[in-house]
Amino acid sequence: MDALLEHHPGLKFVGVLAVFWAFIDALLGALSGWYVLRHRFPDRPEDARLQVLGLDGRMGLGVNLSTLRVDVCASGLRLALGWSNLFCKPFFVPWEALRVEREEGLLGTSAVLGFGGASLGRLRLPRHVANYLARASLGRRPEPGPFPSETR
């Protein structure tokens, strides 16, 4: 092993980088509340009516989830993170366990999705994304409409 590192000094850097990446990944999963939600709401095999990729959202202690994927399914929402995440596996929240609140902020209205109770997790999404997901839920989402289409 020492001979290998002696001939290829960059391998040590790559190894340290991989350990650091895994540590940060695990820390963000804990701070966002992802592990608790994954335990409470295990993923289930259900086809998505709509898949929205590359969303930005904030969860838990202000952790920015910039590679979020949300699948709208007949019985709930599946949330997953992008390829770079090692430990945060997808979870599935049934419509009955989902709460939606609209909040005004400096940059306009946003939607806060609550999963199974205030202590379990909250995800903040931009208004236009929340409206798009609500329209795709075909009336199953626990929030009164209408949800206007965004004009840009």
Side-chain angles (χ1 to χ4, degrees), residues 60-131:
L61 298 174
V63 176
N64 185 29
L65 305 172
S66 60
T67 59
L68 185 64
R69 185 188 88 214
V70 178
D71 297 347
V72 179
C73 302
S75 61
L77 290 179
R78 176 180 298 109
L79 286 93
L81 290 176
W83 63 272
S84 64
N85 199 290
L86 300 172
F87 305 114
C88 295
K89 303 300 179 207
F91 63 91
F92 190 94
V93 181
W95 294 119
E96 302 80 41
L98 185 69
R99 287 184 345 273
V100 182
E101 302 169 15
R102 300 288 176 143
E103 293 182 353
E104 288 292 330
L106 292 175
L107 300 175
T109 306
S110 61
V112 180
L113 306 181
F115 309 116
S119 63
L120 282 181
R122 292 168 44 97
L123 173 66
R124 181 178 307 277
L125 294 172
R127 178 189 67 204
H128 70 279
V129 172
N131 289 346

Side-chain angles (χ1 to χ4, degrees), residues 12-87:
K12 188 182 289 187
F13 173 74
V14 170
V16 169
L17 185 63
V19 169
F20 181 70
W21 181 10
F23 172 75
I24 294 298
D25 192 45
L27 181 65
L28 291 177
L31 292 176
S32 69
W34 195 275
Y35 300 140
V36 174
L37 291 168
R38 187 184 73 193
H39 179 73
R40 170 84 188 278
F41 301 109
D43 194 13
R44 58 173 91 159
E46 188 169 332
D47 291 334
R49 292 180 178 168
L50 172 72
Q51 210 176 57
V52 183
L53 305 170
L55 290 177
D56 279 333
R58 293 199 175 278
M59 199 163 144
L61 298 174
V63 176
N64 185 29
L65 305 172
S66 60
T67 59
L68 185 64
R69 185 188 88 214
V70 178
D71 297 347
V72 179
C73 302
S75 61
L77 290 179
R78 176 180 298 109
L79 286 93
L81 290 176
W83 63 272
S84 64
N85 199 290
L86 300 172
F87 305 114

